[in-house]
Amino acid sequence: MKVKTYRGRSVQEVLQQVKLELGEDAVILNTHNYQDGGRNVCEVVVAVEPEIGEGQDVAENTGDTGGQQWSSFQQQLLQFKDQLFSLIRPQIDMERLSPRQRQLVKYLEKEGVDPEVLVKLWDKLKDRPQVSGIGELSRIVSLKPWDSDKWQEKCHALVGPHGVGKTSTLLRMAMKFKQENPGKKICLLNADAHQGKGRLFLKHYAELSDLEYWEVAGPQDWSWFSEKSRDYDKVFIDVPGLGGNKDLSTWWSENGVDVLSDVCIHLVMSPLYSNIQLDAFVKKFFSVKRASVIWTKLDEACNFGLLINTSFFTGLPISLITYGAGLKNSMSAARDKKIWKLIFKHRLPD
Ligand SMILES: Nc1nc2c(ncn2[C@@H]2O[C@H](COP(=O)(O)OP(=O)(O)OP(=O)(O)O)[C@@H](O)[C@H]2O)c(=O)[nH]1
Ligand SMILES: [Mg+2]
């Protein structure tokens, strides 16, 4: 799978170049106009499906991710998926796909994409050789990049299992927001204050970054904070990992968090989890206020089919990706070019 960038003086000029080189199969992922030395530049990012024989083992060739080998568990999972898929397979006549479409479906199967997603994709592509596989896939994987103008809600709560990277991501988001909106008042709200280490970490960086910091525990605190929140333009909320049988809706109602208005929830996940585990987390952290998925620890993962599966089964857009333990240069807003490079080339953002 290729992701290529073309530049020219106008959209028309660049599109003509794209069409000449790549024909009808090129899928436009993004266009961007800017000035360079007083000249207008139009940049177009396109995705192209690979030639036959090319790219089938892209993932193995690039060596760009942290995970270098399949773990035996992943192999078992893939075997299980193979068996499942082989039951459904008789219904899927791969001959009804064009060679490129077929190759795309096979690549995704190797990448751990769920058979149900593959069947859906096949259904959209069958007997329609002119239809682009990536184009159809981009209808499944929706994106809502973490840019301040796209996310108008005041309060952003990060939820997810213990250790997935909630606190670090929350800090990165708050710091990015502050950098882009220097005049705005930002608050870090720690609802996970019983965790000594995370608490110190958050408090320390709040002080360093000149962000206001509060802790809440129980309905009285939440009720107080719902008034206090009027002082802020943005509030970033660190929610505890919720061990055992606790789920998010129980925690939310027990703590009376509903008093807080204008809240959206971001589900923080990592491709290091298995499909089964991820399914359990998606249920555990269910909420009608859920608005996006944030993917963390991409630098430690060796395949990314889970991103597609989660988009398919939850319908949630991806807003952010993180790929490093440090707070700097380890987070990107989820844009198509980056997501496709990740899935098809196993390449992390530069
Ligand atoms: N490699 C890698 N490490 C990360 C990433 N994001 C966070 N980490 C590390 O993962 C560990 C856990 O991160 P936290 O932000 O504390 O995770 P958490 O979800 O808040 O954890 P709890 O508060 O214990 O539930 C830390 O050591 C982070 O530095 C990432 O994208 N890649
Ligand atoms: Mg934490």
Side-chain angles (χ1 to χ4, degrees), residues 113 116-118 120-121 124 133-143 307-313 315-317 340:
V113 172
E116 208 178 320
V117 184
L118 297 177
K120 163 106 180 179
L121 192 62
K124 293 278 175 198
I134 296 190
E136 284 305 322
L137 204 57
S138 63
R139 284 185 229 280
I140 295 173
V141 183
S142 65
L143 307 177
L307 275 69
I308 298 176
N309 298 343
T310 308
S311 294
F312 181 79
F313 289 114
L316 292 169
W340 296 131

Side-chain angles (χ1 to χ4, degrees), residues 163 165-168 192 195 198 238-239:
K166 299 180 295 300
T167 307
S168 339
D192 192 17
Q195 271 226 52
D238 200 5
V239 175

